């Protein structure tokens, strides 16, 4: 099923100049980039984006990290894009991420793990609308 998902190249990866290499991996996997923008999240925006984790012990640190520098957000489109991109990213913990995944290659820690990807089609719809208007998604 043709589907869309939200990708974020997180501050640790942008700070190391890895956006080009990560986007190349995304495109090589067959996912199409349907929208893209670079921005720096405010504390309120990062807090709202990760609202689901508000009660978790790592929430405050996560919001600080996600606001520490610019991020590159994109909408990816393809067959089963949500699961396909989760597979390409690898596990949240880079130590557990499979060989050939973005996180295995580029993540520095469980927190600074280079990329975000939506975890379900409903989440993807909400996360895409968080960053992009209809007219910013092309093709
Ligand atoms: N995170 C963290 N500590 C943890 C678990 C998660 O700092 O123990 C951060 C990490 O950046 C992760 C994000 O919170 O990517 C969201 O966590 P989630 O469990 O949703 O992982 P993901 O969906 O990104 O793989
Ligand atoms: Mg998640």
């Amino acid at each position: 099923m043709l589907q869309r998902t939200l990708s974020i190249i997180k501050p640790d990866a942008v700070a190391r100049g890895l956006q080009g290499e990560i986007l190349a991996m995304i495109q090589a996997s067959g996912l199409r980039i349907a929208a893209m923008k670079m921005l720096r999240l405010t504390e309120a925006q990062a807090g709202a984006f990760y609202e689901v984790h508000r009660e978790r012990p790592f929430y405050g640190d996560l919001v600080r990290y996600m606001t520490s520098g610019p991020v590159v957000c994109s909408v990816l489109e393809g067959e089963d894009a949500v699961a396909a991109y989760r597979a390409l990213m690898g596990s949240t913990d880079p130590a557990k991420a499979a060989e050939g995944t973005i996180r295995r290659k580029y993540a520095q820690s469980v927190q600074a793990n280079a990329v975000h990807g939506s975890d379900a089609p409903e989440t993807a719809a909400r996360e895409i609308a968080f960053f992009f208007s209809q007219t910013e998604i092309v093709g």
Side-chain angles (χ1 to χ4, degrees):
M1 186 187 43
L2 196 65
Q3 208 173 53
R4 285 174 176 169
T5 191
L6 181 84
S7 160
I8 304 176
I9 302 177
K10 294 181 174 181
D12 67 290
V14 174
R16 287 177 288 151
L18 297 171
Q19 50 275 58
E21 289 166 55
I22 291 172
L23 290 168
M25 284 179 79
I26 288 170
Q27 290 180 304
S29 80
L31 289 162
R32 188 180 76 81
I33 298 168
M36 183 155 61
K37 62 174 71 166
M38 186 168 180
L39 57 99
R40 185 161 182 171
L41 289 166
T42 65
E43 201 177 311
Q45 288 169 331
F49 184 80
Y50 279 117
E51 183 66 43
V52 65
H53 293 313
R54 188 173 287 276
E55 303 307 323
R56 309 282 288 277
F58 59 81
Y59 179 76
D61 279 345
L62 175 59
V63 169
R64 261 187 296 283
Y65 154 63
M66 288 299 290
T67 56
S68 66
V71 296
V72 175
C73 301
S74 53
V75 176
L76 308 181
E77 190 175 79
E79 268 308 297
D80 292 317
V82 169
Y85 187 51
R86 294 288 303 190
L88 179 64
M89 288 198 306
S91 298
T92 310
D93 179 352
K96 296 180 186 143
E99 201 62 54
T101 61
I102 294 172
R103 281 168 165 171
R104 175 64 171 263
K105 204 164 175 196
Y106 296 121
Q108 297 178 303
S109 65
V110 173
Q111 177 185 81
N113 58 5
V115 282
H116 166 86
S118 310
D119 62 8
E122 307 74 45
T123 322
R126 191 177 69 240
E127 292 182 350
I128 288 168
F130 188 90
F131 286 108
F132 295 96
S133 66
Q134 283 292 345
T135 53
E136 292 174 314
I137 303 170
V138 290

